[in-house]
Amino acid sequence: MNEAAAQPLLEVRGLRKFFPISKGFLRRVVGHVRAVDGVDFTVKEGETLGLVGESGCGKTTASRCILRAIDPTDGEILYRTRDGRTVDLARLPPGELRPLRAEIQMIFQDPFGSLNPRMTLLDNVGEPLLVNGVTSRTERTERVAELLRLVGLRPEFMHRFPHAFSGGQRQRIGIARALATNPRLVVADEPVSALDVSVQAQVLNLLLELQARLKLTFLFVAHDLSVVRHISDRIAVMYVGQLVELAPTDALFGQPRHPYTAALMRAVPVADPRVRGQDGILGGEVPSPAAPPSGCYFHPRCRFAQDRCRAEAPALREVAPGHFSRCHFAGDLTL
Amino acid sequence: MTPPTPMATEPLLQVRDLRVSFALDDGLVRAVDGTSFDVMPGQVLGVVGESGCGKSVTMRAILQLVDRPGRITSGEIRFRRDGEMVDIARLPPRGAVMRDIRGGEIALIPQEPMAAFSPVHTVGEQIVEAILLHSHRWGEKKLGRRDARDITVGLFRDVGISMPEQRVDAYSWQLSGGLRQRAMIAMALSCKPRLLIADEPTTAIDVTTQAQVLGLLRELQAKYDTAIIFITHDLGVIAQMASYVVVMYLGRVMEQGPVDDIFHAPKHPYTRALLRSIPGLSGQTRVALPVISGALPHPFNRPAGCPFHPRCPDAMERCAAAVPRLLPVTPNQLASCFLHHDEAELP
Amino acid sequence: MADVAGVKAEDRIAVASNWRLVWWRFRRHHLAMVSAGLLIFLYLIVLAPDFFSTQDPERTDARQAFIPVQTVRLFDDGKLSPWVPAIVGKRNPVTLRMEWTVDQQRKVPVKFFASGYRYKVLGLFTSDLHLLVPADPQQRVFLLGSDRLGRDQWSRIMHGTQTSMTVGLVAVLLSVILGVLLGGISGYVGGKTDSVIQRLIELLQSVPTIPIWLALSAALPRDWTPIQVFFAITVILSLVGWTTLGREVRGRFLALREEDFVLAARLAGCSRMRIIVRHMVPTFTSHIIATSSLAIPVMIINETSLSFLGLGIRPPAISWGVLLQEAQNIQTLALAPWLLIPGLVVIVAVLAFNLVGDGLRDAADPYGH
């Protein structure tokens, strides 16, 4: 789905999440970890937006804010509900948030920790149904059977406990649970990174198939560029709590407009021994989000850095239609 | 790049029909079930496989570090030492010879460097300790604590740690993930090993740091000419690092050969399927990837015959009945598959 | 596929709830299984001590003090006819003390499952059925000897078992309730509440236990009935005992709060209460049971020590500690070593609880296997 006409389902504006750092006996706040530091993006209905970055870049925190698993410090998360209203998830009181939870669901990374080990599949997958008003057990059983079939599991398995399943199967169960309430937006947090290579492809295929069949919108959070590339329509790259680049997948991989994105792509080991290269390995380390560098956060590691980059923080600007970059020289660099 | 290893040289390590099993309360798990491969001096051998394929257990067996209830049940691990082959599998795990081999001649870079360093001693102290334990590997002269510290600082410089004089006095928890992994590599190199076992050394770190560590390992390998066994589940890392590749599945070697042949002319259906199923940085996006059907079986429920046959697209009747042997199928490659030969393993 | 039996076994495990898995693992622990059987037997005694008694535990007779152990023989002349050897006493002319000797010639016949004195079971219905009574109602048998007042030690141990085992169980139950409630609030609510509860736990744990028990039990009015004292002792034991469990529950709550499946429940729209009751508590109930079964023996020992010192349960109520009071001086020990038997019972019960607790703990740990 790449239609320009598709309406935005989710619009994130100026999202910030700071965690206080407290010290000493009196737990005095001495600083803040700027985990998410001003993030803007939109997710169009029916598309997959990939959110990619290295650990500590704030991608998980940002996605948890959207799910309101944690409360954002600042910013707006505008969501268009099923009945056409636009609500700001960032400020919604718990009472108004709860009915909306059914529309926004999550797929977890860890297939072992995300299912309640004391409940059968029927109860695990049926739980969202039960708390959202499906109180009849027969109705729930039918729906769970349908969901299990949808994710490629046999409905007879519904009386089994999670410990009887492999990682890939559990991930399917987690997906079935996420789909139980007919959500519109699904936040997938590293859904395949804990899986074996041979199972990864199965789950990716399932997600693509489900999206087409159920008209789902995905926010796909991951660190693996190849996986994100494979599944996303558009990709947002994060670095130290900020978006550094946002573009349609082909444009991003065809012509990255931020030096960090380019370095990230070069760092991915290519599964072809004939393409061996070590040129352009990014030196240094990711700075701490508690004390980010001045100016452009990437300048200490950037081989194109100039005086301006040290002094002035660049803004995220559109350098080509639909292609945004947070670099002073986005238009001039050949990456 | 690494020159192809001349086949004429004698192998440094020969693993022959190694079997390791774990006697658990609920049954016997055959974690390694007849694995054979060679490591040539100065070669980077990549061992690739999914969880439960036995790659880590094989490496622990080579170091005689298989914990109870695990046990090496049969097979040989021949290691060239002072010009003759010793069978590690027959050595007492706590004996003097094994302790000298472990850490002295064969060193390990573990997956999680945080767990490998003690938090109550500085990183430098721990490396100095290791150097003093195996001091004869640094020459005839008796080493003092000062000399060992100088060697450590030199090693830190070699592995690209900036300000090495200060960093040797740091505790492991004061170092970032990348630095910690570099310090771990320095520790592994501290006894001038002839064989380095890297067990998923970059799985826990980020992709840009991974690129740095892989670059470093390649550099060090060229400099010291150490043989490396590189274990990973990441085919990209294997393609970039290894000169020779062993593909494992459920405790058995499915296929082995030079890296270029494995990636460009794979012979075993498992290798082929594995290579097809990974998304890359080129190729069509948002289309169904070719998959390997089914799931990895539970360790208690090993399939009879070829372990891969229930998931194999080319499975024949015979595959369920007999276990194919690992045999040469081209001048360079070995595969255990009845598509290429007829010989079965003796029951 | 090939191995049908294997697949069946796997299916069985697949649909097994946690409790069943715990049971399967526990069953393999032979020592714990034997101990569990023993504990079940002890709790049967708790339910109806009078059934197991041969005579009224309060019946005194100064002329029958310090009678030694009389062992039951099942066969008489090759046919089943249980009896105990009779005991004859003779006053030592020098010490003026009664000296008892077993008279192998005279047999006192006994009967199993016969009627004896009347008693009430749990205060509900009356019965006069006993496990073993002398055939002649006028006769007395002392299976474990008698004490200085001529009371039957066997019957007194049966009644002591009821008190001591109940104190242990009830005190632990109260501790569990307090611990789970306060620990749960502490862990789930966090913040100031957490700090207050944690400081309270630290305070309670820093108070030396023996003096605080001494003080509290000394504060009990002397004119309270044995039942009131009994409950007061139980409450005192649990007031100090809940802290460890409270800490443990808090730790579990803190860890569980971060679990993905708890977040999933929140995202599904579950209320706070439902998350606690349905998702968090069931994941650690098996651990709580294991921990509590390890706490019961501690409580039993505590009660025994208190009563032994004369500060806990006081006569005429009977507990193991009260019984051991009889063995407080060397003279009695030299003359009547069988008065130490209640100590043996304490050791056996405590060991059994510890073994069962260990077995449960191992079985409840899903990461152990």
Side-chain angles (χ1 to χ4, degrees), chain A residues 64 69 98 101 105 108 113-114 116 118-119 127 130-132 160-161 163-164 177, chain C residues 11 13-14 16-18 21 260-261 263-264 266-270 274 279 282-283:
Chain A
R64 301 266 155 135
R98 200 177 289 167
R101 291 241 185 251
Q105 281 294 311
F108 291 84
S114 59
N116 189 333
R118 302 286 192 260
M119 289 185 175
E127 182 77 358
L130 182 63
V131 297
N132 285 290
R160 297 187 169 195
F161 284 84
H163 62 75
R177 178 181 59 192
Chain C
D11 279 349
I13 292 169
S17 71
N18 180 60
L21 290 176
D260 278 351
F261 72 85
L263 176 59
R266 251 178 81 201
L267 294 181
C270 292
R274 187 173 173 80
H279 294 272
T283 54

mmCIF file of all heavy atoms in Angstrom, chain A residues 64 69 98 101 105 108 113-114 116 118-119 127 130-132 160-161 163-164 177, chain C residues 11 13-14 16-18 21 260-261 263-264 266-270 274 279 282-283:
data_model
loop_
_atom_site.group_PDB
_atom_site.id
_atom_site.type_symbol
_atom_site.label_atom_id
_atom_site.label_comp_id
_atom_site.label_asym_id
_atom_site.label_seq_id
_atom_site.Cartn_x
_atom_site.Cartn_y
_atom_site.Cartn_z
ATOM 1 N N ARG A 64 6.390 2.512 22.981
ATOM 2 C CA ARG A 64 5.650 2.310 24.239
ATOM 3 C C ARG A 64 4.830 3.551 24.583
ATOM 4 O O ARG A 64 3.800 3.449 25.235
ATOM 5 C CB ARG A 64 6.600 2.009 25.401
ATOM 6 C CG ARG A 64 7.459 0.784 25.178
ATOM 7 C CD ARG A 64 6.833 -0.463 25.784
ATOM 8 N NE ARG A 64 7.337 -1.630 25.074
ATOM 9 C CZ ARG A 64 7.761 -2.740 25.659
ATOM 10 N NH1 ARG A 64 7.729 -2.839 26.961
ATOM 11 N NH2 ARG A 64 8.191 -3.745 24.943
ATOM 12 N N ALA A 69 1.932 2.586 27.154
ATOM 13 C CA ALA A 69 2.427 1.699 28.201
ATOM 14 C C ALA A 69 3.202 2.552 29.187
ATOM 15 O O ALA A 69 3.331 2.223 30.352
ATOM 16 C CB ALA A 69 3.318 0.617 27.617
ATOM 17 N N ARG A 98 -9.055 3.234 27.846
ATOM 18 C CA ARG A 98 -9.279 1.796 27.878
ATOM 19 C C ARG A 98 -10.089 1.280 26.688
ATOM 20 O O ARG A 98 -9.677 0.296 26.076
ATOM 21 C CB ARG A 98 -9.900 1.364 29.204
ATOM 22 C CG ARG A 98 -9.695 -0.119 29.439
ATOM 23 C CD ARG A 98 -10.207 -0.602 30.757
ATOM 24 N NE ARG A 98 -9.393 -0.122 31.862
ATOM 25 C CZ ARG A 98 -9.782 -0.205 33.123
ATOM 26 N NH1 ARG A 98 -10.947 -0.731 33.417
ATOM 27 N NH2 ARG A 98 -9.018 0.237 34.088
ATOM 28 N N ARG A 101 -7.913 0.852 23.660
ATOM 29 C CA ARG A 101 -6.836 -0.152 23.686
ATOM 30 C C ARG A 101 -7.092 -1.266 22.686
ATOM 31 O O ARG A 101 -6.147 -1.812 22.123
ATOM 32 C CB ARG A 101 -6.723 -0.751 25.091
ATOM 33 C CG ARG A 101 -6.207 0.211 26.142
ATOM 34 C CD ARG A 101 -4.911 -0.328 26.737
ATOM 35 N NE ARG A 101 -4.405 0.464 27.833
ATOM 36 C CZ ARG A 101 -3.308 1.230 27.731
ATOM 37 N NH1 ARG A 101 -2.674 1.308 26.579
ATOM 38 N NH2 ARG A 101 -2.868 1.902 28.771
ATOM 39 N N GLN A 105 -2.876 -2.525 19.225
ATOM 40 C CA GLN A 105 -2.338 -3.699 19.903
ATOM 41 C C GLN A 105 -0.863 -3.864 19.623
ATOM 42 O O GLN A 105 -0.281 -3.169 18.798
ATOM 43 C CB GLN A 105 -3.112 -4.950 19.478
ATOM 44 C CG GLN A 105 -4.445 -5.085 20.205
ATOM 45 C CD GLN A 105 -4.268 -5.314 21.700
ATOM 46 O OE1 GLN A 105 -3.511 -6.164 22.134
ATOM 47 N NE2 GLN A 105 -4.966 -4.512 22.504
ATOM 48 N N PHE A 108 5.016 -8.698 20.732
ATOM 49 C CA PHE A 108 6.223 -8.562 21.543
ATOM 50 C C PHE A 108 7.427 -9.249 20.913
ATOM 51 O O PHE A 108 7.296 -10.112 20.047
ATOM 52 C CB PHE A 108 5.978 -9.162 22.922
ATOM 53 C CG PHE A 108 5.009 -8.370 23.753
ATOM 54 C CD1 PHE A 108 3.638 -8.549 23.622
ATOM 55 C CD2 PHE A 108 5.469 -7.429 24.650
ATOM 56 C CE1 PHE A 108 2.763 -7.819 24.379
ATOM 57 C CE2 PHE A 108 4.593 -6.693 25.417
ATOM 58 C CZ PHE A 108 3.231 -6.890 25.280
ATOM 59 N N GLY A 113 8.379 -14.668 27.200
ATOM 60 C CA GLY A 113 7.873 -13.852 28.295
ATOM 61 C C GLY A 113 6.536 -13.197 28.022
ATOM 62 O O GLY A 113 5.901 -12.680 28.922
ATOM 63 N N SER A 114 6.082 -13.244 26.764
ATOM 64 C CA SER A 114 4.908 -12.440 26.444
ATOM 65 C C SER A 114 3.591 -13.191 26.623
ATOM 66 O O SER A 114 2.533 -12.597 26.518
ATOM 67 C CB SER A 114 5.013 -11.899 25.024
ATOM 68 O OG SER A 114 5.129 -12.954 24.124
ATOM 69 N N ASN A 116 1.202 -15.567 29.167
ATOM 70 C CA ASN A 116 1.053 -15.964 30.568
ATOM 71 C C ASN A 116 1.237 -17.479 30.691
ATOM 72 O O ASN A 116 0.447 -18.251 30.147
ATOM 73 C CB ASN A 116 -0.336 -15.558 31.071
ATOM 74 C CG ASN A 116 -0.472 -15.749 32.566
ATOM 75 O OD1 ASN A 116 0.197 -16.596 33.159
ATOM 76 N ND2 ASN A 116 -1.322 -14.962 33.180
ATOM 77 N N ARG A 118 0.712 -19.529 32.943
ATOM 78 C CA ARG A 118 -0.276 -20.273 33.717
ATOM 79 C C ARG A 118 -1.613 -20.412 32.996
ATOM 80 O O ARG A 118 -2.550 -20.946 33.540
ATOM 81 C CB ARG A 118 -0.529 -19.584 35.058
ATOM 82 C CG ARG A 118 0.693 -19.407 35.904
ATOM 83 C CD ARG A 118 1.124 -20.729 36.514
ATOM 84 N NE ARG A 118 2.114 -20.513 37.550
ATOM 85 C CZ ARG A 118 3.424 -20.677 37.362
ATOM 86 N NH1 ARG A 118 3.880 -21.061 36.201
ATOM 87 N NH2 ARG A 118 4.260 -20.453 38.355
ATOM 88 N N MET A 119 -1.709 -19.850 31.793
ATOM 89 C CA MET A 119 -2.991 -19.891 31.088
ATOM 90 C C MET A 119 -2.866 -20.716 29.810
ATOM 91 O O MET A 119 -1.831 -20.706 29.157
ATOM 92 C CB MET A 119 -3.400 -18.476 30.685
ATOM 93 C CG MET A 119 -3.831 -17.583 31.812
ATOM 94 S SD MET A 119 -4.393 -16.046 31.083
ATOM 95 C CE MET A 119 -4.982 -15.186 32.501
ATOM 96 N N GLU A 127 -8.197 -13.614 26.498
ATOM 97 C CA GLU A 127 -8.212 -12.572 27.530
ATOM 98 C C GLU A 127 -8.647 -11.197 26.996
ATOM 99 O O GLU A 127 -9.531 -10.572 27.579
ATOM 100 C CB GLU A 127 -6.834 -12.506 28.197
ATOM 101 C CG GLU A 127 -6.700 -11.498 29.316
ATOM 102 C CD GLU A 127 -7.329 -11.944 30.631
ATOM 103 O OE1 GLU A 127 -7.913 -13.039 30.660
ATOM 104 O OE2 GLU A 127 -7.240 -11.179 31.605
ATOM 105 N N LEU A 130 -12.328 -11.277 26.507
ATOM 106 C CA LEU A 130 -13.082 -11.300 27.754
ATOM 107 C C LEU A 130 -13.180 -9.911 28.372
ATOM 108 O O LEU A 130 -14.260 -9.464 28.759
ATOM 109 C CB LEU A 130 -12.412 -12.270 28.728
ATOM 110 C CG LEU A 130 -13.085 -12.454 30.073
ATOM 111 C CD1 LEU A 130 -14.466 -13.054 29.895
ATOM 112 C CD2 LEU A 130 -12.252 -13.364 30.960
ATOM 113 N N VAL A 131 -12.051 -9.206 28.445
ATOM 114 C CA VAL A 131 -12.103 -7.893 29.085
ATOM 115 C C VAL A 131 -12.746 -6.847 28.183
ATOM 116 O O VAL A 131 -13.059 -5.757 28.633
ATOM 117 C CB VAL A 131 -10.711 -7.400 29.553
ATOM 118 C CG1 VAL A 131 -10.141 -8.317 30.594
ATOM 119 C CG2 VAL A 131 -9.768 -7.243 28.397
ATOM 120 N N ASN A 132 -12.933 -7.187 26.920
ATOM 121 C CA ASN A 132 -13.619 -6.244 26.044
ATOM 122 C C ASN A 132 -15.045 -6.689 25.757
ATOM 123 O O ASN A 132 -15.614 -6.377 24.713
ATOM 124 C CB ASN A 132 -12.840 -6.035 24.747
ATOM 125 C CG ASN A 132 -11.620 -5.161 24.983
ATOM 126 O OD1 ASN A 132 -11.735 -3.977 25.236
ATOM 127 N ND2 ASN A 132 -10.444 -5.774 24.947
ATOM 128 N N ARG A 160 -3.909 -26.274 25.192
ATOM 129 C CA ARG A 160 -2.540 -26.490 25.639
ATOM 130 C C ARG A 160 -1.996 -25.228 26.297
ATOM 131 O O ARG A 160 -2.505 -24.146 26.102
ATOM 132 C CB ARG A 160 -1.651 -26.836 24.436
ATOM 133 C CG ARG A 160 -2.061 -28.112 23.780
ATOM 134 C CD ARG A 160 -1.063 -28.493 22.731
ATOM 135 N NE ARG A 160 -1.323 -29.853 22.270
ATOM 136 C CZ ARG A 160 -0.458 -30.564 21.579
ATOM 137 N NH1 ARG A 160 0.699 -30.054 21.251
ATOM 138 N NH2 ARG A 160 -0.762 -31.788 21.218
ATOM 139 N N PHE A 161 -0.900 -25.432 27.043
ATOM 140 C CA PHE A 161 -0.255 -24.313 27.697
ATOM 141 C C PHE A 161 0.933 -23.846 26.851
ATOM 142 O O PHE A 161 1.478 -24.622 26.066
ATOM 143 C CB PHE A 161 0.208 -24.733 29.089
ATOM 144 C CG PHE A 161 -0.922 -24.822 30.070
ATOM 145 C CD1 PHE A 161 -1.698 -25.967 30.151
ATOM 146 C CD2 PHE A 161 -1.237 -23.747 30.874
ATOM 147 C CE1 PHE A 161 -2.751 -26.048 31.038
ATOM 148 C CE2 PHE A 161 -2.289 -23.814 31.754
ATOM 149 C CZ PHE A 161 -3.049 -24.956 31.841
ATOM 150 N N HIS A 163 3.961 -23.566 27.335
ATOM 151 C CA HIS A 163 5.231 -24.291 27.409
ATOM 152 C C HIS A 163 5.330 -25.423 26.396
ATOM 153 O O HIS A 163 6.407 -25.974 26.189
ATOM 154 C CB HIS A 163 5.476 -24.800 28.837
ATOM 155 C CG HIS A 163 4.451 -25.787 29.334
ATOM 156 N ND1 HIS A 163 4.415 -27.090 28.920
ATOM 157 C CD2 HIS A 163 3.417 -25.656 30.196
ATOM 158 C CE1 HIS A 163 3.414 -27.722 29.507
ATOM 159 N NE2 HIS A 163 2.785 -26.872 30.296
ATOM 160 N N ALA A 164 4.212 -25.765 25.767
ATOM 161 C CA ALA A 164 4.246 -26.863 24.801
ATOM 162 C C ALA A 164 4.670 -26.397 23.410
ATOM 163 O O ALA A 164 4.734 -27.207 22.496
ATOM 164 C CB ALA A 164 2.875 -27.524 24.733
ATOM 165 N N ARG A 177 -3.238 -13.202 19.696
ATOM 166 C CA ARG A 177 -3.773 -12.418 20.805
ATOM 167 C C ARG A 177 -3.880 -10.941 20.413
ATOM 168 O O ARG A 177 -4.867 -10.276 20.726
ATOM 169 C CB ARG A 177 -2.872 -12.555 22.038
ATOM 170 C CG ARG A 177 -3.365 -11.718 23.213
ATOM 171 C CD ARG A 177 -2.473 -11.834 24.409
ATOM 172 N NE ARG A 177 -1.121 -11.401 24.073
ATOM 173 C CZ ARG A 177 -0.062 -11.598 24.837
ATOM 174 N NH1 ARG A 177 -0.200 -12.222 25.983
ATOM 175 N NH2 ARG A 177 1.125 -11.202 24.463
ATOM 176 N N ASP C 11 1.769 -34.779 24.300
ATOM 177 C CA ASP C 11 0.425 -34.221 24.385
ATOM 178 C C ASP C 11 0.001 -34.045 25.825
ATOM 179 O O ASP C 11 -0.586 -33.044 26.196
ATOM 180 C CB ASP C 11 -0.590 -35.146 23.691
ATOM 181 C CG ASP C 11 -0.568 -34.940 22.196
ATOM 182 O OD1 ASP C 11 0.074 -33.961 21.772
ATOM 183 O OD2 ASP C 11 -1.165 -35.736 21.465
ATOM 184 N N ILE C 13 1.882 -33.564 28.392
ATOM 185 C CA ILE C 13 2.573 -32.430 28.983
ATOM 186 C C ILE C 13 1.995 -31.124 28.451
ATOM 187 O O ILE C 13 1.846 -30.146 29.176
ATOM 188 C CB ILE C 13 4.095 -32.534 28.709
ATOM 189 C CG1 ILE C 13 4.662 -33.710 29.480
ATOM 190 C CG2 ILE C 13 4.807 -31.261 29.090
ATOM 191 C CD1 ILE C 13 6.076 -34.075 29.110
ATOM 192 N N ALA C 14 1.619 -31.144 27.173
ATOM 193 C CA ALA C 14 1.148 -29.917 26.534
ATOM 194 C C ALA C 14 -0.091 -29.353 27.200
ATOM 195 O O ALA C 14 -0.243 -28.144 27.322
ATOM 196 C CB ALA C 14 0.860 -30.189 25.062
ATOM 197 N N ALA C 16 -0.953 -29.973 30.280
ATOM 198 C CA ALA C 16 -0.811 -30.018 31.737
ATOM 199 C C ALA C 16 -0.706 -28.611 32.288
ATOM 200 O O ALA C 16 0.091 -27.819 31.820
ATOM 201 C CB ALA C 16 0.423 -30.827 32.112
ATOM 202 N N SER C 17 -1.522 -28.320 33.280
ATOM 203 C CA SER C 17 -1.438 -27.013 33.915
ATOM 204 C C SER C 17 -0.203 -26.994 34.789
ATOM 205 O O SER C 17 0.439 -28.015 35.026
ATOM 206 C CB SER C 17 -2.671 -26.763 34.762
ATOM 207 O OG SER C 17 -2.622 -27.603 35.885
ATOM 208 N N ASN C 18 0.114 -25.822 35.276
ATOM 209 C CA ASN C 18 1.298 -25.703 36.116
ATOM 210 C C ASN C 18 1.208 -26.618 37.322
ATOM 211 O O ASN C 18 2.183 -27.239 37.712
ATOM 212 C CB ASN C 18 1.454 -24.263 36.556
ATOM 213 C CG ASN C 18 2.659 -24.079 37.431
ATOM 214 O OD1 ASN C 18 3.776 -24.356 37.010
ATOM 215 N ND2 ASN C 18 2.450 -23.678 38.657
ATOM 216 N N LEU C 21 2.155 -30.048 36.459
ATOM 217 C CA LEU C 21 3.591 -30.164 36.227
ATOM 218 C C LEU C 21 4.342 -30.191 37.556
ATOM 219 O O LEU C 21 5.267 -30.967 37.744
ATOM 220 C CB LEU C 21 4.091 -28.986 35.387
ATOM 221 C CG LEU C 21 3.650 -28.962 33.934
ATOM 222 C CD1 LEU C 21 4.130 -27.690 33.263
ATOM 223 C CD2 LEU C 21 4.207 -30.164 33.191
ATOM 224 N N ASP C 260 6.469 -9.050 30.031
ATOM 225 C CA ASP C 260 5.714 -8.712 28.827
ATOM 226 C C ASP C 260 4.255 -9.114 28.927
ATOM 227 O O ASP C 260 3.374 -8.400 28.463
ATOM 228 C CB ASP C 260 6.349 -9.384 27.604
ATOM 229 C CG ASP C 260 7.538 -8.591 27.085
ATOM 230 O OD1 ASP C 260 7.734 -7.460 27.575
ATOM 231 O OD2 ASP C 260 8.252 -9.090 26.212
ATOM 232 N N PHE C 261 3.986 -10.275 29.540
ATOM 233 C CA PHE C 261 2.592 -10.720 29.526
ATOM 234 C C PHE C 261 1.720 -9.861 30.429
ATOM 235 O O PHE C 261 0.515 -9.743 30.202
ATOM 236 C CB PHE C 261 2.466 -12.220 29.838
ATOM 237 C CG PHE C 261 2.737 -12.626 31.259
ATOM 238 C CD1 PHE C 261 1.735 -12.557 32.211
ATOM 239 C CD2 PHE C 261 3.976 -13.097 31.629
ATOM 240 C CE1 PHE C 261 1.980 -12.945 33.511
ATOM 241 C CE2 PHE C 261 4.223 -13.482 32.927
ATOM 242 C CZ PHE C 261 3.223 -13.408 33.875
ATOM 243 N N LEU C 263 2.275 -6.548 30.685
ATOM 244 C CA LEU C 263 2.032 -5.398 29.804
ATOM 245 C C LEU C 263 0.949 -5.742 28.787
ATOM 246 O O LEU C 263 0.056 -4.935 28.498
ATOM 247 C CB LEU C 263 3.339 -5.004 29.092
ATOM 248 C CG LEU C 263 3.228 -3.880 28.068
ATOM 249 C CD1 LEU C 263 2.689 -2.602 28.700
ATOM 250 C CD2 LEU C 263 4.568 -3.602 27.413
ATOM 251 N N ALA C 264 1.034 -6.977 28.252
ATOM 252 C CA ALA C 264 0.028 -7.399 27.273
ATOM 253 C C ALA C 264 -1.370 -7.333 27.883
ATOM 254 O O ALA C 264 -2.319 -6.900 27.233
ATOM 255 C CB ALA C 264 0.330 -8.813 26.787
ATOM 256 N N ARG C 266 -2.317 -5.363 30.276
ATOM 257 C CA ARG C 266 -2.681 -3.950 30.396
ATOM 258 C C ARG C 266 -3.158 -3.409 29.058
ATOM 259 O O ARG C 266 -4.143 -2.681 28.966
ATOM 260 C CB ARG C 266 -1.453 -3.153 30.840
ATOM 261 C CG ARG C 266 -1.538 -2.654 32.251
ATOM 262 C CD ARG C 266 -0.264 -1.932 32.613
ATOM 263 N NE ARG C 266 -0.262 -0.567 32.113
ATOM 264 C CZ ARG C 266 0.848 0.152 31.932
ATOM 265 N NH1 ARG C 266 2.017 -0.372 32.182
ATOM 266 N NH2 ARG C 266 0.781 1.384 31.487
ATOM 267 N N LEU C 267 -2.416 -3.772 28.000
ATOM 268 C CA LEU C 267 -2.768 -3.267 26.671
ATOM 269 C C LEU C 267 -4.091 -3.855 26.204
ATOM 270 O O LEU C 267 -4.775 -3.269 25.366
ATOM 271 C CB LEU C 267 -1.661 -3.596 25.665
ATOM 272 C CG LEU C 267 -0.333 -2.894 25.912
ATOM 273 C CD1 LEU C 267 0.671 -3.287 24.853
ATOM 274 C CD2 LEU C 267 -0.497 -1.384 25.925
ATOM 275 N N ALA C 268 -4.431 -5.034 26.722
ATOM 276 C CA ALA C 268 -5.713 -5.627 26.340
ATOM 277 C C ALA C 268 -6.858 -4.888 27.020
ATOM 278 O O ALA C 268 -8.020 -5.064 26.651
ATOM 279 C CB ALA C 268 -5.741 -7.099 26.725
ATOM 280 N N GLY C 269 -6.532 -4.082 28.005
ATOM 281 C CA GLY C 269 -7.567 -3.310 28.682
ATOM 282 C C GLY C 269 -7.970 -3.868 30.033
ATOM 283 O O GLY C 269 -9.002 -3.494 30.573
ATOM 284 N N CYS C 270 -7.170 -4.772 30.596
ATOM 285 C CA CYS C 270 -7.495 -5.338 31.898
ATOM 286 C C CYS C 270 -7.383 -4.255 32.973
ATOM 287 O O CYS C 270 -6.517 -3.387 32.903
ATOM 288 C CB CYS C 270 -6.517 -6.451 32.262
ATOM 289 S SG CYS C 270 -6.666 -7.898 31.247
ATOM 290 N N ARG C 274 -7.723 -6.927 38.035
ATOM 291 C CA ARG C 274 -7.700 -8.146 37.248
ATOM 292 C C ARG C 274 -6.263 -8.564 36.945
ATOM 293 O O ARG C 274 -5.929 -9.746 36.960
ATOM 294 C CB ARG C 274 -8.466 -7.927 35.944
ATOM 295 C CG ARG C 274 -8.609 -9.208 35.159
ATOM 296 C CD ARG C 274 -9.492 -9.073 33.953
ATOM 297 N NE ARG C 274 -9.422 -10.305 33.184
ATOM 298 C CZ ARG C 274 -10.095 -11.404 33.467
ATOM 299 N NH1 ARG C 274 -10.925 -11.400 34.477
ATOM 300 N NH2 ARG C 274 -9.955 -12.494 32.747
ATOM 301 N N HIS C 279 -3.373 -12.355 36.624
ATOM 302 C CA HIS C 279 -2.110 -12.539 35.911
ATOM 303 C C HIS C 279 -0.890 -12.605 36.806
ATOM 304 O O HIS C 279 0.048 -13.318 36.514
ATOM 305 C CB HIS C 279 -1.915 -11.420 34.884
ATOM 306 C CG HIS C 279 -2.906 -11.456 33.775
ATOM 307 N ND1 HIS C 279 -2.713 -12.183 32.637
ATOM 308 C CD2 HIS C 279 -4.116 -10.891 33.653
ATOM 309 C CE1 HIS C 279 -3.769 -12.056 31.845
ATOM 310 N NE2 HIS C 279 -4.631 -11.270 32.442
ATOM 311 N N PRO C 282 -1.325 -15.755 40.331
ATOM 312 C CA PRO C 282 -1.194 -17.184 40.010
ATOM 313 C C PRO C 282 0.212 -17.598 39.620
ATOM 314 O O PRO C 282 0.586 -18.750 39.798
ATOM 315 C CB PRO C 282 -2.145 -17.376 38.819
ATOM 316 C CG PRO C 282 -3.106 -16.262 38.923
ATOM 317 C CD PRO C 282 -2.350 -15.117 39.509
ATOM 318 N N THR C 283 1.031 -16.661 39.116
ATOM 319 C CA THR C 283 2.370 -17.068 38.692
ATOM 320 C C THR C 283 3.284 -17.339 39.872
ATOM 321 O O THR C 283 4.316 -17.949 39.697
ATOM 322 C CB THR C 283 3.033 -16.009 37.798
ATOM 323 O OG1 THR C 283 2.998 -14.771 38.477
ATOM 324 C CG2 THR C 283 2.352 -15.903 36.472
#
